[in-house]
Amino acid sequence: VGYTVVRPGGLTAGEPVGAQLLELNQGDTKSGRLSRADVASLCVNCLDSPDTWDTTFECYEALTAKPIESVGLSNILKSKDPTVFKSGKERQGDSWNALFEGLERDGGHSV
């Protein structure tokens, strides 16, 4: 039995922006904000993607991305100026499948 752990950033009641404006990251180094509707869409689309099996990832709107140390203040201020910090594990795409492509499986699990 496989699993997917979705770790959303700060939740908003805003309108969904869709896959093309979201960012995924692995390693708990970045976060941001995203709408509850985007989290729901992301979770539903994970069900059809083998790229998400046995993975854990953070998700947020790319324009709200900040290093984990400063994301709290950024969320309070509702900042939309993306960070220049890159973890090297960011994922962006113009569709759900493209967004999920390249996610690394959690250690100890194989297909």
Side-chain angles (χ1 to χ4, degrees):
V1 174
Y3 65 88
T4 303
V5 178
V6 177
R7 300 181 67 204
L11 298 175
T12 71
E15 294 295 317
V17 298
Q20 63 277 8
L21 296 180
L22 297 181
E23 182 173 279
L24 307 183
N25 191 49
Q26 293 180 287
D28 200 24
T29 57
K30 289 173 75 174
S31 192
R33 296 180 310 281
L34 74 165
S35 73
R36 288 171 175 83
D38 277 322
V39 175
S41 292
L42 186 138
C43 289
V44 167
N45 282 280
C46 281
L47 296 172
D48 289 330
S49 176
D51 289 320
T52 64
W53 295 347
D54 297 333
T55 62
T56 300
F57 56 85
E58 295 77 42
C59 56
Y60 44 85
E61 285 185 35
L63 288 177
T64 68
K66 294 289 181 207
I68 206 75
E69 299 83 23
S70 62
V71 75
L73 180 60
S74 174
N75 283 349
I76 291 169
L77 298 175
K78 298 186 181 347
S79 175
K80 284 209 172 189
D81 57 328
T83 184
V84 294
F85 169 73
K86 297 289 182 196
S87 72
K89 294 189 175 191
E90 293 88 350
R91 296 286 173 260
Q92 293 182 334
D94 58 359
S95 68
W96 292 110
N97 286 335
L99 185 64
F100 300 143
E101 189 174 304
L103 286 171
E104 295 178 10
R105 297 204 188 288
D106 293 342
H109 297 274
S110 59
V111 180

